[in-house]
Amino acid sequence: GEDVEQSLFLSVREGDSSVINCTYTDSSSTYLYWYKQEPGAGLQLLTYIFSNMDMKQDQRLTVLLNKKDKHLSLRIADTQTGDSAIYFCAERGYGGSQGNLIFGKGTKLSVKP
Amino acid sequence: GAGVSQSPSNKVTEKGKDVELRCDPISGHTALYWYRQSLGQGLEFLIYFQGNSAPDKSGLPSDRFSAERTGGSVSTLTIQRTQQEDSAVYLCASSLGGPGRNTEAFFGQGTRLTVV
């Protein structure tokens, strides 16, 4: 079945860049997502990338996709304390998974002032 | 319009009792997902409904767990003979869905289940 792996923790200083990495196994994935969960809040979509792209930039966020290695990363430039949250990588399959949305365990980002 | 609504928001139950958790998806969304998030843990997939297709139940942890979706809308997740390890936040999400489609999944606020 599908599997999505992430490192569990990342700590950075305010103003530095953060890079959160994710690997997935379903080669039929069509879209890959980054969701953000702030303390005590629900999950919200942060950004996504289609599988035929290798990069997407949205303000401070840069998503890189290496489809050959099934590796996805999220770079946050000029990280702020308000970016402290859990970041979940997710993939949407097409083939056997019929469009299911599978999440990684989440990376907890801590931003130190 | 209204987002994904889950009820109850909190549920405390005694070990061995059955519980039902409800999810009202966004109107028109054909895909509905249930996940479980244990304290300090990530999202564990439980079950996925897409339109009239047979649900993907591959994430249900045991036969004590079941879910149904009536009329393609409201879904109920039932846990029979609850155990303490069932304590978690149960999250429901819905999306326009469909294989290969990019549609954002919208999450409810979850039901926090505590088994004592």
Side-chain angles (χ1 to χ4, degrees):
Chain A
E2 305 90 356
D3 197 16
V4 178
E5 299 283 342
Q6 300 178 240
S7 53
L8 296 182
F9 302 99
L10 177 65
S11 180
V12 300
R13 291 213 172 271
E14 191 173 21
D16 288 349
S17 292
S18 307
V19 180
I20 303 171
N21 294 299
C22 169
T23 57
Y24 59 97
T25 57
D26 187 354
S27 58
S28 68
S29 293
T30 54
Y31 289 92
L32 295 122
Y33 303 84
W34 286 103
Y35 278 76
K36 179 180 180 182
Q37 185 179 38
E38 296 188 45
L43 276 88
Q44 292 198 312
L45 180 66
L46 198 58
T47 187
Y48 69 92
I49 189 167
F50 185 47
S51 59
N52 71 350
M53 299 168 64
D54 53 20
M55 187 182 88
K56 180 179 180 181
Q57 188 150 3
D58 182 3
Q59 299 183 340
R60 291 190 298 121
L61 306 178
T62 303
V63 179
L64 295 177
L65 175 61
N66 181 329
K67 197 172 179 183
K68 173 176 171 289
D69 295 337
K70 300 191 188 72
H71 183 267
L72 181 74
S73 68
L74 173 69
R75 179 177 180 269
I76 306 173
D78 187 26
T79 313
Q80 303 298 305
T81 53
D83 294 324
S84 294
I86 301 175
Y87 292 80
F88 291 91
C89 169
E91 62 167 350
R92 181 181 295 280
Y94 186 91
S97 53
Q98 293 291 305
N100 197 358
L101 194 58
I102 301 296
F103 285 80
K105 293 194 181 301
T107 299
K108 184 174 183 179
L109 175 64
S110 298
V111 183
K112 295 179 169 35
Chain B
V4 177
S5 177
Q6 291 188 245
S7 61
S9 55
N10 279 286
K11 176 72 177 178
V12 180
T13 189
E14 291 181 353
K15 179 181 170 181
K17 300 281 191 187
D18 297 352
V19 295
E20 284 189 351
L21 312 180
R22 178 187 167 103
C23 174
D24 279 281
I26 293 173
S27 178
H29 280 191
T30 59
L32 187 147
Y33 318 78
W34 282 100
Y35 298 92
R36 177 168 71 174
Q37 187 173 28
S38 302
L39 185 62
Q41 300 296 311
L43 286 174
E44 178 187 3
F45 163 69
L46 296 177
I47 188 168
Y48 162 60
F49 296 90
Q50 171 53 49
N52 295 322
S53 302
D56 177 353
K57 302 179 182 180
S58 61
L60 295 177
S62 77
D63 59 7
R64 296 186 296 106
F65 287 72
S66 63
E68 62 178 23
R69 189 178 186 193
T70 53
S73 181
V74 172
S75 177
T76 302
L77 177 69
T78 301
I79 309 172
Q80 296 177 307
R81 305 181 303 281
T82 51
Q83 303 295 312
Q84 287 186 329
E85 61 263 27
D86 299 334
S87 297
V89 176
Y90 288 82
L91 293 167
C92 176
S94 73
S95 73
L96 287 171
R101 294 185 64 189
N102 173 33
T103 58
E104 179 180 353
F106 293 84
F107 281 80
Q109 290 299 307
T111 294
R112 182 176 296 279
L113 175 66
T114 304
V115 182
V116 296

